[in-house]
Short mmCIF file of all heavy atoms in Angstrom, two decimals:
data_model
loop_
_atom_site.label_atom_id
_atom_site.label_comp_id
_atom_site.label_asym_id
_atom_site.label_seq_id
_atom_site.Cartn_x
_atom_site.Cartn_y
_atom_site.Cartn_z
N ALA A 110 -2.51 -8.04 -2.45
CA ALA A 110 -2.86 -9.01 -1.37
C ALA A 110 -3.42 -10.28 -1.88
O ALA A 110 -3.04 -11.49 -1.44
CB ALA A 110 -3.80 -8.30 -0.30
N PHE A 111 -4.28 -10.17 -2.81
CA PHE A 111 -4.89 -11.47 -3.44
C PHE A 111 -3.78 -12.24 -4.13
O PHE A 111 -3.72 -13.43 -3.97
CB PHE A 111 -5.89 -11.04 -4.46
CG PHE A 111 -6.46 -12.19 -5.25
CD1 PHE A 111 -7.28 -13.13 -4.66
CD2 PHE A 111 -6.12 -12.38 -6.57
CE1 PHE A 111 -7.79 -14.22 -5.36
CE2 PHE A 111 -6.59 -13.44 -7.30
CZ PHE A 111 -7.41 -14.39 -6.70
N LEU A 112 -2.90 -11.56 -4.87
CA LEU A 112 -1.82 -12.26 -5.48
C LEU A 112 -0.93 -13.06 -4.53
O LEU A 112 -0.54 -14.22 -4.78
CB LEU A 112 -0.91 -11.29 -6.30
CG LEU A 112 -1.58 -10.69 -7.61
CD1 LEU A 112 -0.65 -9.66 -8.16
CD2 LEU A 112 -1.97 -11.72 -8.60
N LYS A 113 -0.63 -12.39 -3.42
CA LYS A 113 0.09 -13.12 -2.33
C LYS A 113 -0.53 -14.34 -1.87
O LYS A 113 0.07 -15.36 -1.64
CB LYS A 113 0.40 -12.13 -1.17
CG LYS A 113 1.38 -11.04 -1.41
CD LYS A 113 1.49 -10.13 -0.31
CE LYS A 113 2.45 -8.93 -0.56
NZ LYS A 113 2.64 -8.11 0.66
N GLY A 114 -1.87 -14.20 -1.68
CA GLY A 114 -2.63 -15.39 -1.36
C GLY A 114 -2.66 -16.43 -2.27
O GLY A 114 -2.50 -17.65 -2.04
N GLN A 115 -2.76 -16.10 -3.59
CA GLN A 115 -2.74 -17.06 -4.69
C GLN A 115 -1.35 -17.82 -4.76
O GLN A 115 -1.36 -18.97 -5.12
CB GLN A 115 -3.01 -16.37 -6.01
CG GLN A 115 -4.50 -15.99 -6.13
CD GLN A 115 -5.47 -17.21 -5.98
OE1 GLN A 115 -5.97 -17.44 -4.92
NE2 GLN A 115 -5.63 -17.92 -7.00
N ILE A 116 -0.36 -17.10 -4.49
CA ILE A 116 1.03 -17.72 -4.54
C ILE A 116 1.06 -18.77 -3.51
O ILE A 116 1.57 -19.89 -3.69
CB ILE A 116 2.11 -16.60 -4.31
CG1 ILE A 116 2.21 -15.70 -5.61
CG2 ILE A 116 3.51 -17.28 -4.10
CD1 ILE A 116 2.96 -14.38 -5.26
N LEU A 117 0.60 -18.53 -2.23
CA LEU A 117 0.64 -19.51 -1.23
C LEU A 117 -0.34 -20.68 -1.54
O LEU A 117 -0.03 -21.82 -1.23
CB LEU A 117 0.27 -18.78 0.16
CG LEU A 117 1.37 -17.96 0.64
CD1 LEU A 117 0.88 -17.04 1.72
CD2 LEU A 117 2.57 -18.77 1.10
N PHE A 118 -1.51 -20.36 -2.06
CA PHE A 118 -2.48 -21.29 -2.38
C PHE A 118 -1.97 -22.28 -3.48
O PHE A 118 -2.13 -23.52 -3.34
CB PHE A 118 -3.80 -20.69 -2.96
CG PHE A 118 -4.91 -21.55 -2.91
CD1 PHE A 118 -5.72 -21.76 -1.76
CD2 PHE A 118 -5.36 -22.19 -4.10
CE1 PHE A 118 -6.80 -22.61 -1.75
CE2 PHE A 118 -6.50 -22.98 -4.11
CZ PHE A 118 -7.20 -23.22 -2.95
N ALA A 119 -1.11 -21.76 -4.34
CA ALA A 119 -0.59 -22.62 -5.44
C ALA A 119 0.54 -23.56 -4.83
O ALA A 119 0.79 -24.59 -5.44
CB ALA A 119 0.08 -21.69 -6.49
N GLN A 120 1.02 -23.22 -3.63
CA GLN A 120 1.98 -24.02 -3.01
C GLN A 120 1.31 -24.98 -1.97
O GLN A 120 1.92 -25.57 -1.13
CB GLN A 120 2.99 -23.17 -2.22
CG GLN A 120 3.86 -22.38 -3.20
CD GLN A 120 4.78 -21.39 -2.35
OE1 GLN A 120 5.73 -21.85 -1.76
NE2 GLN A 120 4.39 -20.08 -2.36
N HIS A 121 -0.01 -25.14 -2.09
CA HIS A 121 -0.78 -25.90 -1.22
C HIS A 121 -0.78 -25.48 0.24
O HIS A 121 -0.64 -26.37 1.16
CB HIS A 121 -0.44 -27.46 -1.38
CG HIS A 121 -0.41 -27.90 -2.85
ND1 HIS A 121 -1.60 -28.10 -3.54
CD2 HIS A 121 0.60 -28.06 -3.70
CE1 HIS A 121 -1.24 -28.44 -4.73
NE2 HIS A 121 0.09 -28.49 -4.90
N LYS A 122 -0.85 -24.19 0.42
CA LYS A 122 -0.79 -23.61 1.77
C LYS A 122 -2.05 -22.76 1.93
O LYS A 122 -1.84 -21.51 2.06
CB LYS A 122 0.48 -22.82 1.98
CG LYS A 122 1.76 -23.56 1.90
CD LYS A 122 2.96 -22.72 2.04
CE LYS A 122 4.29 -23.60 1.85
NZ LYS A 122 5.44 -22.64 1.85
N PRO A 123 -3.27 -23.34 1.82
CA PRO A 123 -4.46 -22.50 1.93
C PRO A 123 -4.54 -21.73 3.26
O PRO A 123 -5.04 -20.63 3.29
CB PRO A 123 -5.56 -23.45 1.72
CG PRO A 123 -4.93 -24.81 2.11
CD PRO A 123 -3.57 -24.72 1.71
N ASP A 124 -4.12 -22.32 4.37
CA ASP A 124 -4.26 -21.59 5.64
C ASP A 124 -3.36 -20.42 5.72
O ASP A 124 -3.69 -19.35 6.32
CB ASP A 124 -4.00 -22.58 6.80
CG ASP A 124 -5.05 -23.66 6.94
OD1 ASP A 124 -6.17 -23.35 6.56
OD2 ASP A 124 -4.70 -24.74 7.44
N ALA A 125 -2.17 -20.46 5.13
CA ALA A 125 -1.25 -19.31 5.06
C ALA A 125 -1.75 -18.32 4.03
O ALA A 125 -1.53 -17.09 4.16
CB ALA A 125 0.11 -19.75 4.67
N ALA A 126 -2.54 -18.69 3.05
CA ALA A 126 -3.11 -17.81 2.04
C ALA A 126 -4.27 -16.94 2.55
O ALA A 126 -4.46 -15.85 2.20
CB ALA A 126 -3.57 -18.65 0.77
N LEU A 127 -4.98 -17.53 3.47
CA LEU A 127 -6.23 -16.87 3.96
C LEU A 127 -6.04 -15.54 4.51
O LEU A 127 -6.85 -14.64 4.16
CB LEU A 127 -6.94 -17.83 5.06
CG LEU A 127 -8.33 -17.40 5.42
CD1 LEU A 127 -9.30 -17.31 4.25
CD2 LEU A 127 -8.89 -18.30 6.43
N PRO A 128 -5.07 -15.17 5.32
CA PRO A 128 -4.88 -13.82 5.80
C PRO A 128 -4.70 -12.86 4.61
O PRO A 128 -5.22 -11.70 4.76
CB PRO A 128 -3.61 -13.90 6.67
CG PRO A 128 -3.48 -15.31 7.09
CD PRO A 128 -4.06 -16.15 5.98
N PHE A 129 -4.08 -13.25 3.61
CA PHE A 129 -3.86 -12.30 2.44
C PHE A 129 -5.17 -12.17 1.62
O PHE A 129 -5.49 -11.08 1.17
CB PHE A 129 -2.73 -12.86 1.48
CG PHE A 129 -1.40 -12.79 2.21
CD1 PHE A 129 -0.82 -13.92 2.71
CD2 PHE A 129 -0.81 -11.51 2.39
CE1 PHE A 129 0.47 -13.83 3.30
CE2 PHE A 129 0.47 -11.46 2.99
CZ PHE A 129 1.12 -12.59 3.51
N ILE A 130 -5.92 -13.24 1.60
CA ILE A 130 -7.22 -13.18 0.86
C ILE A 130 -8.12 -12.24 1.76
O ILE A 130 -8.82 -11.41 1.23
CB ILE A 130 -7.88 -14.54 0.73
CG1 ILE A 130 -7.11 -15.49 -0.05
CG2 ILE A 130 -9.26 -14.48 0.26
CD1 ILE A 130 -6.73 -15.05 -1.43
N ASN A 131 -8.12 -12.39 3.06
CA ASN A 131 -8.90 -11.49 3.88
C ASN A 131 -8.42 -10.02 3.76
O ASN A 131 -9.26 -9.06 3.82
CB ASN A 131 -8.86 -11.97 5.32
CG ASN A 131 -9.71 -13.24 5.50
OD1 ASN A 131 -10.64 -13.45 4.79
ND2 ASN A 131 -9.35 -14.05 6.59
N GLN A 132 -7.13 -9.87 3.66
CA GLN A 132 -6.63 -8.56 3.53
C GLN A 132 -7.13 -7.85 2.23
O GLN A 132 -7.46 -6.73 2.23
CB GLN A 132 -5.11 -8.50 3.45
CG GLN A 132 -4.49 -7.16 3.43
CD GLN A 132 -2.93 -7.17 3.47
OE1 GLN A 132 -2.38 -8.06 2.78
NE2 GLN A 132 -2.32 -6.29 4.07
N ALA A 133 -7.18 -8.67 1.21
CA ALA A 133 -7.72 -8.17 -0.07
C ALA A 133 -9.17 -7.71 0.09
O ALA A 133 -9.61 -6.71 -0.42
CB ALA A 133 -7.59 -9.23 -1.18
N LEU A 134 -9.86 -8.59 0.87
CA LEU A 134 -11.34 -8.24 1.08
C LEU A 134 -11.50 -7.08 2.03
O LEU A 134 -12.49 -6.37 1.95
CB LEU A 134 -12.06 -9.45 1.57
CG LEU A 134 -12.26 -10.59 0.53
CD1 LEU A 134 -12.71 -11.81 1.17
CD2 LEU A 134 -13.18 -10.12 -0.55
N GLN A 135 -10.52 -6.73 2.94
CA GLN A 135 -10.59 -5.64 3.73
C GLN A 135 -10.48 -4.35 2.83
O GLN A 135 -11.05 -3.31 3.05
CB GLN A 135 -9.52 -5.60 4.76
CG GLN A 135 -9.79 -6.53 5.95
CD GLN A 135 -8.61 -6.68 6.87
OE1 GLN A 135 -7.53 -6.19 6.60
NE2 GLN A 135 -8.84 -7.31 8.07
N ARG A 136 -9.61 -4.47 1.80
CA ARG A 136 -9.39 -3.34 0.87
C ARG A 136 -10.56 -3.14 -0.03
O ARG A 136 -10.84 -2.01 -0.47
CB ARG A 136 -8.06 -3.59 0.11
CG ARG A 136 -6.83 -3.55 1.03
CD ARG A 136 -5.59 -3.94 0.14
NE ARG A 136 -4.43 -3.95 1.14
CZ ARG A 136 -3.21 -4.19 0.64
NH1 ARG A 136 -3.04 -4.41 -0.64
NH2 ARG A 136 -2.23 -4.26 1.44
N ASP A 137 -11.21 -4.25 -0.41
CA ASP A 137 -12.43 -4.21 -1.30
C ASP A 137 -13.30 -5.36 -0.98
O ASP A 137 -13.00 -6.46 -1.38
CB ASP A 137 -12.02 -4.23 -2.71
CG ASP A 137 -13.18 -4.08 -3.69
OD1 ASP A 137 -14.42 -4.19 -3.20
OD2 ASP A 137 -13.02 -4.01 -4.94
N PRO A 138 -14.29 -5.16 -0.15
CA PRO A 138 -15.21 -6.29 0.24
C PRO A 138 -15.98 -6.99 -0.91
O PRO A 138 -16.51 -8.06 -0.71
CB PRO A 138 -16.29 -5.56 1.21
CG PRO A 138 -15.62 -4.36 1.56
CD PRO A 138 -14.67 -3.94 0.44
N HIS A 139 -15.94 -6.37 -2.06
CA HIS A 139 -16.61 -6.91 -3.23
C HIS A 139 -15.67 -7.56 -4.32
O HIS A 139 -16.12 -7.81 -5.41
CB HIS A 139 -17.53 -5.90 -3.83
CG HIS A 139 -18.51 -5.36 -2.84
ND1 HIS A 139 -19.53 -6.03 -2.31
CD2 HIS A 139 -18.57 -4.10 -2.32
CE1 HIS A 139 -20.21 -5.34 -1.50
NE2 HIS A 139 -19.63 -4.09 -1.41
N TYR A 140 -14.45 -7.65 -3.96
CA TYR A 140 -13.41 -8.13 -4.91
C TYR A 140 -13.68 -9.68 -5.14
O TYR A 140 -13.34 -10.49 -4.29
CB TYR A 140 -12.03 -7.89 -4.42
CG TYR A 140 -10.89 -8.18 -5.41
CD1 TYR A 140 -10.88 -7.59 -6.61
CD2 TYR A 140 -9.96 -9.16 -5.15
CE1 TYR A 140 -9.90 -7.85 -7.53
CE2 TYR A 140 -8.94 -9.44 -5.97
CZ TYR A 140 -8.92 -8.80 -7.20
OH TYR A 140 -7.95 -9.13 -8.15
N GLU A 141 -14.26 -9.95 -6.26
CA GLU A 141 -14.82 -11.30 -6.57
C GLU A 141 -13.69 -12.39 -6.50
O GLU A 141 -13.93 -13.44 -6.03
CB GLU A 141 -15.57 -11.34 -7.86
CG GLU A 141 -16.88 -10.55 -7.70
CD GLU A 141 -17.77 -10.68 -8.94
OE1 GLU A 141 -17.42 -11.52 -9.84
OE2 GLU A 141 -18.74 -9.98 -8.97
N PRO A 142 -12.50 -12.17 -7.11
CA PRO A 142 -11.50 -13.26 -7.08
C PRO A 142 -11.16 -13.64 -5.54
O PRO A 142 -10.99 -14.84 -5.22
CB PRO A 142 -10.30 -12.67 -7.71
CG PRO A 142 -10.82 -11.63 -8.68
CD PRO A 142 -12.03 -11.09 -7.95
N ALA A 143 -11.15 -12.62 -4.69
CA ALA A 143 -10.82 -12.94 -3.28
C ALA A 143 -12.03 -13.63 -2.59
O ALA A 143 -11.82 -14.57 -1.73
CB ALA A 143 -10.45 -11.73 -2.52
#
Side-chain angles (χ1 to χ4, degrees):
F111 173 73
L112 292 174
K113 290 178 182 185
Q115 288 301 99
I116 293 164
L117 290 165
F118 197 79
Q120 295 175 74
H121 308 287
K122 300 177 183 176
D124 293 333
L127 189 57
F129 293 105
I130 301 302
N131 287 333
Q132 183 181 38
L134 290 169
Q135 287 172 349
R136 294 176 183 181
D137 180 355
H139 304 290
Y140 186 61
E141 289 185 14

